[in-house]
Amino acid sequence: MSGKSEIETLNSVCREAKTAGKLSGENLTELYELFGQRFTKALEALKEGRVKKYVFKPSARTVWIVVGRERDYLIMPEAEFCTCDDFYFRVLDKRVHMCYHLLTQKMAQNLGWFEAFEESDECFGMLMDEWKKATP
Ligand SMILES: [Zn+2]
C-alpha cells in the first residue's frame, strides 16, 4: 500500500466493492484505517441515502449535495470544494486532506450510491443561491 495516495486507495477499494456489489469487512477496515471518523460519517450518509447529484442541462454542469443534520452541503468534486466549516478551516489549512462530505461524494460516485436529478440550466442560479444560503 505504500506510496499510494488516500484517493487512489479509496478509488481502488470502491472499484472492488462495486464489482462485489458490497463493501466487504476488509474494505471497511481499510477505509476506516485511512479515514477514521470521516469514513464512519460518510458511510452513514451513504446508507441513509443523503447524497444527491444534480446535472444541469444542456451545459452538463454537475453539483453534488450531501444532506446534513442541520444543513445541506454543496460539493464540487472537480474543484475538490465543499461548503462546510470543516473544509474551510481544516482542509485549506492542510490538516486533513478532505472533509467527510468530499469523501462521501467520492464513495457515492464510485459505488453508484446516490440519487440523480436533472435540472435545466435556467434553474442553476436559483438553486445555487438556495444552497449557498444554507452556508453561514
Ligand atoms: Zn465538507
Side-chain angles (χ1 to χ4, degrees):
M1 276 319 198
S2 63
K4 260 205 205 174
S5 73
E6 268 188 351
I7 307 278
E8 283 166 29
T9 308
L10 176 68
N11 287 343
S12 75
V13 170
C14 287
R15 264 199 304 274
E16 213 179 287
K18 197 177 184 185
T19 311
K22 67 179 171 70
L23 284 159
S24 68
E26 203 180 310
N27 294 152
L28 294 173
T29 309
E30 199 175 340
L31 292 177
Y32 186 78
E33 277 172 6
L34 203 52
F35 299 102
Q37 282 303 312
R38 282 179 289 159
F39 170 66
T40 314
K41 285 163 92 171
L43 190 62
E44 206 177 83
L46 285 169
K47 281 185 174 164
E48 290 171 4
R50 291 194 270 121
V51 189
K52 295 173 183 178
K53 179 189 184 185
Y54 286 83
V55 179
F56 292 87
K57 298 275 159 115
S59 70
R61 267 187 291 206
T62 307
V63 170
W64 292 74
I65 300 291
V66 174
V67 178
R69 297 272 177 251
E70 274 142 44
R71 60 186 180 92
D72 295 353
Y73 300 95
L74 177 71
I75 293 130
M76 293 172 163
E78 294 82 16
E80 298 271 321
F81 175 80
C82 179
T83 54
C84 72
D85 297 346
D86 213 34
F87 178 81
Y88 208 79
F89 295 117
R90 292 202 281 150
V91 179
L92 294 182
D93 220 18
K94 305 264 184 267
R95 268 186 282 166
V96 290
H97 299 287
M98 58 176 140
C99 64
Y100 95 86
H101 309 103
L102 272 165
L103 177 61
T104 308
Q105 183 279 326
K106 285 182 199 306
M107 288 179 67
Q109 186 167 17
N110 276 309
L111 294 164
W113 292 356
F114 57 83
E115 233 184 306
F117 299 90
E118 258 186 36
E119 296 285 351
S120 80
D121 280 325
E122 285 137 54
C123 302
F124 185 77
M126 189 196 76
L127 283 169
M128 287 298 279
D129 282 350
E130 199 115 314
W131 288 321
K132 281 184 186 152
K133 232 190 290 169
T135 63

